[in-house]
Amino acid sequence: MAQGTTGMSATKSFGERIVHQLLEDKLITQAQVNDLIEEQAKTRVRLVKLLEQKNLVSEMDRISAMGAVLSIAPIDVSKLRLNPDLADLIPLQLARNFTVLPVSKLGNRLFLAMADPLNVLALDDIRKLTKLEVIPLISTTAAIRKKLDDFQNSDQMMDSIIQESGNEAEDTIEAVTESKSNNSNVDLSSELGAGDAPVIKLVNLVLLEAIKAKASDIHIEPFETYIKLRYRIDGVLLEKKSPPKSMQNALMSRLKIMSSLDIAEKRLPQDGRLRVKVSGKDIDLRISFLPTVHGEKCVLRVLDKSNLSLSLDSLGLGPATLKQVKDAVDSPHGLILVTGPTGSGKTTTLYSILHELNQPGDNIITVEDPVEFQIEGINQVSVAKAVGLTFAAALRSILRQDPDIVMIGEIRDKETAEIAVEASLTGHQVLSTLHCNDAPGAISRLDDMGIAPFLISSSVILSSAQRLMRRICRTCKTEIELDPKVAEQVGIDPSFLMESNSSAAVAASAATIPAIPGDSPFSRP
């Protein structure tokens, strides 16, 4: 250590302070420090540049050390989702010139990722432009430029498509119909070519951007003078740059063609499916059209198998709740109900349970409307009301197929409920969902359907209710001090959060908040 100290002057340069920080963090050794100092003396190259050239540490480690020296928080922008509203605060060309990226806005404060947080001119210009207090964060040049390129390419491509379409969008669909009808498996990566019609490029751009942003749903909504395009990301709808109103009919027709629906029918709702390919990965989309006053509204549900968690342990359940669920799953027979509103993750929970039960010795059959994900080793039946294949009709046939485990996509009527209860009482394990707000509500719902109370108590072994919890961004989250009144309102003893004033203890407490008595998300009836 003495050798390194003598190699650096009492007043360390910026590069020396970074090297010293890396040494303290044990990311480089004293011998490497000595070699760097000797080479700097010979070549007169800055230490920071030498670190970069020799690749002794990762770029993010180097940025973290620079942040520690400058007392500026480092941030990995490659893991962030770019917010278009924030990006609009700073012109793209200016952001590229200064290598900056707006990360978050809280009140009148703008958190700005910068490759050079010491660039006073950039900070002053952005402060004057946005009329906000700018809080600099430090990140890598490559990551910032990549994020800016992604946003710029998407924005420019949408503008280019709109400009190319001009006033001919209504006529474009005829060429699409002739050249690419019944296209059920589109490779989006190769469908953005210059030779495609504008509407084809528009649809593929919308799907590609939504899938890359990990959106769960795509909403295309027509209004009197414009179309609104929104993606549901992490449970919240975010508005995106929308196509012009003149492309509305062509856009809807293209989506109908891709999902093999009737493009001439615009008065009745239609449902369909399509499959696209992104970076070699198949993505299923469930599509729904609904006639409105100003045209058809289209909603696409993105079904990405790679995002499907097939493990109960990874659902985020607490230890006590997880044990309750596993105990019910291990039962040889009985009815397991998963409840909650649309989009609360009921299907994911059911598939995770099926994955636990999927053994060679069991015959598992599901009846769903529609089959969202195909699971190897499980017989899955899709409801087809047009030909009379309802949940009840499918269940009657399934029970003659010698099943051990039956999964019903949803119990919607008395007949389906009766068959499910009878199956659970005759040695079958039955899984299903109900649309109600809480776990006890499932019992009331079955009672309202006309199922005898004694049959409900004999068959139902687990009733659960669930909601999706929004995740906090790992790179921009900050600690807050919880008001005791808020804790009381949600049923948490305020003293539980006051056991320790240390940030680590508070973080640990927040991660292990106990279930509220009487309102557990998973509870037996």
Side-chain angles (χ1 to χ4, degrees), residues 506-518:
V506 172
S509 300
T512 57
I513 293 176
I516 302 170

Side-chain angles (χ1 to χ4, degrees), residues 373-433:
F373 297 101
Q374 296 181 16
I375 304 177
E376 189 70 27
I378 294 179
N379 303 287
Q380 296 173 271
V381 179
S382 183
V383 167
K385 295 179 183 176
V387 295
L389 184 59
T390 61
F391 278 111
L395 271 176
R396 283 193 293 269
S397 297
I398 284 173
L399 294 178
R400 293 192 288 269
Q401 293 283 320
D402 186 30
D404 297 295
I405 300 164
V406 178
M407 194 271 271
I408 309 168
E410 183 185 351
I411 295 178
R412 298 178 179 174
D413 50 51
K414 180 180 179 181
E415 187 178 8
T416 305
E418 287 177 342
I419 298 173
V421 169
E422 289 172 5
S424 67
L425 292 173
T426 54
H428 303 90
Q429 191 171 51
V430 181
L431 315 174
S432 188
T433 68

Side-chain angles (χ1 to χ4, degrees), residues 222-238:
F223 293 92
E224 185 174 1
T225 59
Y226 65 95
I227 300 174
K228 183 182 288 186
L229 173 65
R230 296 190 291 177
Y231 300 157
R232 186 177 295 279
I233 300 174
D234 206 12
V236 177
L237 282 171
L238 301 177

Side-chain angles (χ1 to χ4, degrees), residues 10-64:
T11 305
K12 297 185 181 72
S13 67
F14 181 56
E16 289 172 339
R17 291 162 63 194
I18 292 173
V19 170
H20 185 69
Q21 183 65 45
L22 290 170
L23 182 62
E24 282 188 351
D25 294 339
K26 298 182 179 178
L27 295 172
I28 58 175
T29 64
Q30 184 63 55
Q32 290 174 322
V33 172
N34 295 337
D35 291 341
L36 285 170
I37 295 172
E38 289 177 8
E39 188 165 347
Q40 185 202 27
K42 295 177 183 178
T43 61
R44 299 297 180 183
V45 177
R46 292 183 301 123
L47 278 175
V48 176
K49 191 68 176 176
L50 284 174
L51 270 173
E52 185 177 349
Q53 290 175 353
K54 291 184 173 296
N55 200 25
L56 294 178
V57 294
S58 69
E59 191 172 14
M60 201 61 214
D61 286 337
R62 183 161 46 83
I63 290 298
S64 299

Side-chain angles (χ1 to χ4, degrees), residues 72-87:
I72 295 175
I75 184 169
D76 186 358
V77 298
S78 64
K79 297 180 180 178
L80 296 179
R81 293 194 185 107
L82 195 61
N83 188 333
D85 296 334
L86 288 179

